[in-house]
Amino acid sequence: MIGFLTKRILQAIFTVLVVTLVVAFAIRLTGDPALISAQGGGTVTEADLQRIRVALGVDRPFYVQYFGFLKGLLTLDFGRSFVGGTPVSQLIGTALPATLTLAFASLFVSIVLSIPLGVKAATTRGKWPDQAIRIFSLIGLSFPNFWLATMLVLLFAIALQWLPPSGYDGFSSYIMPAVTMGLILTATNVRLVRTTMLDTLRSQYVMVARAKGLSETKVLYKHALRNCAIVLLTFLGVQFGGLLGGIVVVERVFNWPGMGTLAFDAVAARDYPVLQSVITVLSALIIGVNLLIDLAYGLIDPRIRTQ
Amino acid sequence: MANATTSGRLNRFKAMEFVVGILLFGTICLAVLFAPLLFPDGGTKIDLAARLTAPFQSFAHVLGTDPLGRDVLARVVTGGKVSLVVGFASVVGSIFVGVAMGLVAGYYRGAWDALLMRFVDVQLALPFILLAITFFAILGGSLINTIVLLIVSQCVQYARLVRGSVLSLREREFILSARAIGVADRNIILRHLLPNLLGPVIVLATLNFANNILLESSLTFLGLGVDPTIPSWGGMLADARTYLQTAWWVSVFPGLAILLTVLGLNLLGDWLRDSLDPTGRTSR
């Protein structure tokens, strides 16, 4: 168990390091931030540019900047934004909760929809509910997330005027973005629940539960579903990256002040420290969630550890 | 144990998937192919007198017009070219790169394999859209760059699939005996391994084609991917955002075009997967 733990943790740390290195290197290629911040300031001489570079700290060699960034990471000090000089940690401190709460709301919507629908599809295999759910899932997989968001706005904000079209202000503003991402996740998850459930329903403990004369609801939701949980849990980890990526796009439609909006603004302003930190934090989160799920998996199912 | 009616129903459903999929995707491909004949102006003709005509009102503009009086139908049909070209080219590119990577990693194992798997880890941890933001910040957006980005980010899927299959195939008798009689590695890979990988790769390519169209349109929608002056579905949807209140149709039809194209491909991919999977695991 200890060996399994250390191996997974080392792998995760290694991946974080590679991601930060690639991102740091790539971002340095995007252009000279001094030129950007000097724009609109009348004539600038090379000496002015050099002064800006020193002030921003981009005159130092790449590896010095990179190790500086890594050192900062350990203390959650991400440096300051090139635009306005706000500490990056402060910007992330407000954007990350907006993105993460939306991610959890989307997961919640998806779980609430995909479990009952997937169980229904598995128990009615080949009959009309199963096929209707399969069609629903295929259509959901084909929806561009940003267009689904736009259509929800058109229907619920403009035509019916039930919900605010955009913004980040209380419960009602969460509904449309969370339903958008929730529906798209459900399209994948419903098939996963169905397949896992079909496997489980043929196992011996379900037969035993049925033979004991338990009600069908109890068999399905108490015995079978519990054993599906582990498969669903791992899949959640794989999905987490895609979910965050989707949210970054959908944030644009809803003017959601999350990590996506922060990243897009940073690109427009060539704001290295902000863009680099956004990508690092999101990647570290994804790696962290997958690590936790792997560890949980090992705890729940001892067979995994020895592999 | 599966009873006859259930599998009969599933078979009919599968046949329907194929028919609907080919109809949707085929119609759209034909329309896009013949777009220059159907709409010689390519939906660029500005007619301010007819601006914001609602759909289904006039025969000249069946799907209405946009804020500059351009015909929405002409623009949707012409704009499909970007999505189809990017989708197709990126899938072909990913197949070449990814299959080669997977074959080498799976057949030779060792350092190549370790390198590939770490690359997969990194790729899984970096959401596509963030990779895209960085990529386009360096290289700028264009059709070619969008295709390159999609190849770079999607080839890993093929590599993983192929690697996994090769790992099990290389222990099978027919490969072992080919090696025993001294067939060169190159011939084993090309003649014995590759044909056995074709099925799963085709399925993945179809579904990946669908997904790449979704990715391309969201990049263009965000103002990253393809040049915004070329008519494209994502670009039209980005322009339409300002007019959501007054002209819903400008936002609805390009999105519907994406949805139907992708749905057609997903239906075909689903059908292919069931048809090429003799164990029927996925279709049960």
Side-chain angles (χ1 to χ4, degrees):
Chain A
M1 185 67 193
I2 301 294
F4 168 79
L5 265 173
T6 16
K7 195 174 156 216
R8 282 296 292 120
I9 291 172
L10 285 178
Q11 265 178 3
I13 292 174
F14 178 77
T15 316
V16 174
L17 282 178
V18 174
V19 170
T20 52
L21 187 64
V22 169
V23 169
F25 185 71
I27 286 175
R28 290 304 175 277
L29 296 174
T30 59
D32 187 350
L35 277 175
I36 303 287
S37 30
Q39 260 169 18
T43 36
V44 265
T45 61
E46 184 52 36
D48 292 333
L49 287 180
Q50 194 52 36
R51 218 163 338 107
I52 299 175
R53 288 191 195 111
V54 173
L56 296 178
V58 292
D59 60 318
R60 299 168 299 163
F62 173 71
Y63 71 93
V64 177
Q65 293 182 45
Y66 178 64
F67 281 113
F69 178 76
L70 281 188
K71 222 169 97 186
L73 273 188
L74 295 177
T75 51
L76 290 184
D77 170 16
F78 300 101
R80 283 171 182 276
S81 162
F82 286 172
V83 183
T86 327
V88 178
S89 50
Q90 200 180 315
L91 293 172
I92 290 187
T94 53
L96 191 59
T99 296
L100 281 185
T101 47
L102 185 52
F104 285 119
S106 310
L107 280 177
F108 176 76
V109 171
S110 146
I111 289 168
V112 164
L113 289 175
S114 55
I115 288 182
L117 285 178
V119 171
K120 183 80 193 164
T123 49
T124 59
R125 189 178 79 91
K127 300 200 182 77
W128 74 264
D130 180 29
Q131 303 198 342
I133 290 166
R134 191 164 175 178
I135 294 170
F136 161 81
S137 150
L138 272 168
I139 295 178
L141 284 174
S142 311
F143 252 100
N145 51 17
F146 63 95
W147 188 62
L148 178 58
T150 313
M151 291 302 101
L152 291 179
V153 171
L154 204 53
L155 183 61
F156 294 105
I158 293 173
L160 298 170
Q161 305 203 332
W162 288 352
L163 294 167
S166 65
Y168 172 56
D169 181 29
F171 179 74
S172 63
S173 64
Y174 271 95
I175 297 176
M176 282 198 290
V179 167
T180 304
M181 286 315 295
L183 281 176
I184 284 177
L185 285 180
T186 303
T188 329
N189 289 350
V190 89
R191 301 185 91 166
L192 189 76
V193 174
R194 176 185 180 272
T195 317
T196 323
M197 203 62 185
L198 280 176
D199 280 336
T200 315
L201 286 179
R202 292 187 309 184
S203 61
Q204 290 185 339
Y205 52 82
V206 169
M207 252 187 266
V208 171
R210 284 212 171 112
K212 279 198 299 189
L214 292 180
S215 72
E216 193 60 18
T217 327
K218 247 189 175 163
V219 172
L220 287 179
Y221 284 90
K222 212 170 161 210
H223 292 260
L225 196 62
R226 274 195 188 180
N227 287 284
C228 294
I230 195 163
V231 181
L232 302 181
L233 188 71
T234 358
F235 209 71
L236 247 136
V238 179
Q239 270 185 347
F240 192 64
L243 172 62
L244 287 184
I247 287 178
V248 166
V249 178
V250 170
E251 277 181 7
R252 290 296 270 189
V253 179
F254 293 105
N255 287 324
W256 195 262
M259 298 293 268
T261 306
L262 197 59
F264 278 105
D265 293 346
V267 170
R270 300 262 157 98
D271 199 344
Y272 290 173
V274 174
L275 185 56
Q276 191 173 356
S277 310
V278 168
I279 299 181
T280 307
V281 168
L282 289 183
S283 303
L285 261 174
I286 294 167
I287 295 166
V289 165
N290 277 296
L291 178 66
L292 279 180
I293 287 177
D294 270 8
L295 299 183
Y297 203 94
L299 280 179
I300 301 169
D301 190 342
R303 284 168 301 182
I304 311 293
R305 284 176 235 159
T306 49
Q307 280 171 13
Chain B
M1 209 169 66
N3 61 59
T5 48
T6 303
S7 59
R9 280 207 198 93
L10 280 173
N11 283 336
R12 234 176 304 143
F13 185 81
K14 275 198 259 175
M16 282 295 289
E17 270 192 323
F18 173 73
V19 173
V20 176
I22 205 97
L23 274 179
L24 280 176
F25 188 62
T27 315
I28 288 165
C29 281
L30 282 178
V32 170
L33 198 66
F34 290 108
L37 293 176
L38 297 168
F39 306 100
D41 65 329
T44 51
K45 201 178 79 193
I46 294 173
D47 177 7
L48 289 175
R51 66 192 295 268
L52 296 180
T53 310
F56 316 121
Q57 304 283 315
S58 91
F59 194 68
H61 304 294
V62 179
L63 298 186
T65 58
D66 73 358
L68 293 174
R70 295 175 297 191
D71 186 47
V72 171
L73 179 63
R75 287 181 73 71
V76 167
V77 173
T78 313
K81 198 176 139 195
V82 168
S83 290
L84 292 180
V85 166
V86 170
F88 185 73
S90 56
V91 165
V92 172
S94 312
I95 291 177
F96 274 104
V97 180
V99 170
M101 281 164 61
L103 281 173
V104 171
Y107 190 73
Y108 294 107
R109 309 294 311 274
W112 278 112
D113 195 27
L115 198 69
L116 173 73
M117 291 326 280
R118 290 291 80 76
F119 185 58
V120 169
D121 279 352
V122 170
Q123 214 252 353
L124 282 178
L126 203 58
F128 170 79
I129 200 76
L130 295 180
L131 185 70
I133 293 174
T134 325
F135 184 86
F136 288 116
I138 304 168
L139 296 173
S142 75
L143 195 84
I144 299 293
N145 285 354
T146 310
I147 296 172
V148 172
L149 171 72
L150 286 171
I151 294 176
V152 170
S153 60
Q154 309 293 305
C155 66
V156 179
Q157 292 182 32
Y158 296 86
R160 285 176 74 190
L161 175 79
V162 168
R163 174 187 175 270
S165 314
V166 171
L167 282 185
S168 68
L169 282 173
R170 70 200 285 270
E171 309 301 335
R172 296 265 295 273
E173 283 80 2
F174 68 100
I175 301 286
L176 292 177
S177 42
R179 282 165 76 159
I181 58 171
V183 178
D185 277 357
R186 201 177 67 104
N187 285 339
I188 292 182
I189 291 176
L190 293 180
R191 298 236 179 100
H192 299 283
L193 285 176
L194 212 51
N196 281 295
L197 300 167
L198 225 55
V201 169
I202 290 174
V203 174
L204 178 61
T206 315
L207 298 171
N208 194 222
F209 194 167
N211 194 43
N212 282 2
I213 291 180
L214 286 182
L215 294 176
E216 177 275 326
S217 62
S218 38
L219 289 177
T220 313
F221 173 76
L222 292 168
L224 291 170
V226 179
D227 181 352
T229 57
I230 305 173
S232 67
W233 292 337
M236 290 175 75
L237 287 170
D239 292 342
R241 282 190 66 195
T242 337
Y243 303 96
L244 201 56
Q245 296 263 8
T246 46
W248 55 268
W249 57 92
V250 193
S251 285
V252 168
F253 296 118
L256 209 55
I258 303 176
L259 173 65
L260 295 178
T261 314
V262 176
L263 181 61
L265 280 167
N266 275 335
L267 285 167
L268 287 177
D270 214 46
W271 173 80
L272 269 173
R273 178 168 46 198
D274 292 343
S275 320
L276 292 174
D277 180 9
T279 58
R281 244 192 72 82
T282 44
S283 57
R284 280 177 312 174

